[in-house]
Amino acid sequence: MTVSPDPLAAARAWVETFVVARDVCPFAGREVSRGSVRYVAVSASDREAALLSLFDECRHLEATPEVETTLLVLTEGLEAFDDYLDLLEIAEALLADQGYEGTFQLASFHPDYVFADAEPEDPANFTNRSPWPMWHLLREAGLERALSHHPDPEGIPARNIDAMRELGHATLAHELAELKGSA
């Protein structure tokens, strides 16, 4: 496993060694092999600038069809999960307000991600835990295309939850810490 304190290197390693290798997203491997995943470091210490970066990426995706998706790695300012969720809510509302609803979808990842109905130590949370806070900007059309070719898209979340619980919290926490370079 790659160990790196560099946020972009950690994000790439997480995508390759966790998301793709564990098949958490059955569509990610294709995009990684095609080189169509863009990684961008964004400081969120200035929230307005971070939101503007999100819209810069929307425009970049509109102008660059060979890039399927962007991971915005939020390098500072959103270490607290509640702060992250607050800004995520604003980002999602602004995407809709700016007419991007139905064009782009925003998936969310954070080192301390906890689903609303889960306990913090539930390994299922690792389906959305990453070495750094991230916004994953996806093209809706590409996602719909991928889902239409998958034999059981509705079963993906349950399969992932089962896989994470089988691995266990300690193993997953160790792997995530290694990816961030703090193990």
Side-chain angles (χ1 to χ4, degrees):
M1 191 171 306
T2 303
V3 176
S4 176
D6 172 48
L8 292 180
R12 282 187 190 95
W14 172 73
V15 167
E16 293 169 8
T17 65
F18 182 79
V19 175
V20 173
R22 295 195 184 282
D23 203 29
V24 175
C25 174
F27 320 114
R30 176 179 186 263
E31 300 311 323
V32 167
S33 67
R34 289 179 56 218
S36 64
V37 180
R38 178 174 159 91
Y39 298 86
V40 177
V42 175
S43 170
S45 56
D46 178 342
R47 308 267 164 105
E48 186 176 325
L51 293 167
L52 290 172
S53 293
L54 174 63
F55 290 102
D56 287 344
E57 287 309 307
C58 289
R59 289 186 290 278
H60 179 81
L61 288 173
E62 287 177 321
T64 318
E66 63 273 11
V67 175
E68 183 63 29
T69 188
T70 298
L71 275 167
L72 290 102
V73 182
L74 305 165
T75 60
E76 56 193 346
L78 295 176
E79 293 79 13
F81 185 54
D82 287 339
D83 292 342
Y84 172 82
L85 288 176
D86 290 344
L87 193 59
L88 175 66
E89 184 178 347
I90 293 167
E92 289 173 330
L94 288 173
L95 280 173
D97 288 348
Q98 295 298 310
Y100 287 115
E101 191 170 37
T103 302
F104 298 114
Q105 182 180 112
L106 199 56
S108 60
F109 302 93
H110 190 279
D112 298 321
Y113 201 99
V114 177
F115 288 103
D117 59 347
E119 294 296 320
E121 300 301 311
D122 185 344
N125 294 314
F126 281 88
T127 63
N128 284 63
R129 286 194 181 171
S130 56
W132 293 87
M134 294 185 210
W135 290 335
H136 184 190
L137 191 60
L138 301 117
R139 294 178 189 273
E140 285 274 347
L143 183 58
E144 289 171 8
R145 233 181 353 268
L147 288 170
S148 72
H149 291 86
H150 191 276
D152 183 24
E154 294 82 20
I156 295 169
R159 185 203 63 191
N160 285 339
I161 289 169
D162 291 345
M164 296 303 109
R165 288 181 175 155
E166 185 175 317
L167 288 166
H169 186 274
T171 297
L172 293 164
H174 178 73
E175 287 181 9
L176 196 59
E178 277 188 340
L179 286 168
K180 188 155 182 181
S182 62

